[in-house]
Amino acid sequence: MKTWQALLPIPCLCFLIAMMPQSPQGTQDPAVADVVQVMQMTEMHYVDMQGKTSVIPSRNVFEVRLLEDTTHGMRFEIVYDNGDYSLIDAQAIHILRTGKDPMDVRFVRSTRARMRFPKLQ
């Protein structure tokens, strides 16, 4: 009879722990969340800080992240399908949406604190 009385508080204790308020999962503060837009593009041209124009075809690009809180020019990250990564400082970006083989690419507006690879800051 004493073992029954000793084991009775255990389910009550588990019930009380389960009833504690918890923060909802999957919700983020809208002021902190990134803005995401999926759009078709065929290639992206950018002008780097030295004035050289480079072309990136869209067939390998998975995501382009524009970091808004930079002090000079534009800084953006490119994440490729195979896991490669580029961090680029640029003066201008040109997105070409018509042409041969358009692909869906995610464009994300973010901050340096939310970089894809924060150790590269």
Side-chain angles (χ1 to χ4, degrees):
M1 194 65 154
K2 291 190 179 217
T3 55
W4 175 254
Q5 291 175 348
L7 294 177
L8 186 61
I10 292 174
C12 294
L13 181 64
C14 292
F15 178 74
L16 290 175
I17 290 174
M19 294 302 293
M20 289 179 60
Q22 300 174 1
S23 63
Q25 294 183 1
T27 59
Q28 293 181 350
D29 183 10
V32 177
D34 294 335
V35 178
V36 178
Q37 174 74 35
V38 177
M39 58 193 288
Q40 286 191 343
M41 81 173 200
T42 56
E43 58 187 26
M44 181 172 77
H45 298 207
Y46 69 90
V47 180
D48 64 8
M49 299 308 278
Q50 288 77 30
K52 179 183 169 204
T53 301
S54 299
V55 177
I56 300 174
S58 66
R59 67 179 172 268
N60 298 331
V61 177
F62 172 70
E63 182 178 70
V64 177
R65 299 175 64 86
L66 177 64
L67 306 175
E68 293 183 323
D69 58 349
T70 58
T71 56
H72 62 284
M74 288 184 277
R75 176 173 278 183
F76 61 95
E77 301 175 295
I78 300 174
V79 181
Y80 298 94
D81 285 337
N82 62 358
D84 287 347
Y85 171 83
S86 297
L87 178 64
I88 300 169
D89 287 320
Q91 297 178 23
I93 301 172
H94 307 284
I95 307 296
L96 301 179
R97 298 176 66 182
T98 59
K100 183 174 116 174
D101 298 329
M103 300 291 291
D104 287 338
V105 178
R106 290 178 51 177
F107 284 85
V108 181
R109 289 187 127 162
S110 188
T111 61
R112 285 188 294 162
R114 296 175 55 88
M115 286 177 65
R116 187 78 160 190
F117 294 100
K119 293 181 181 179
L120 296 177
Q121 290 180 4

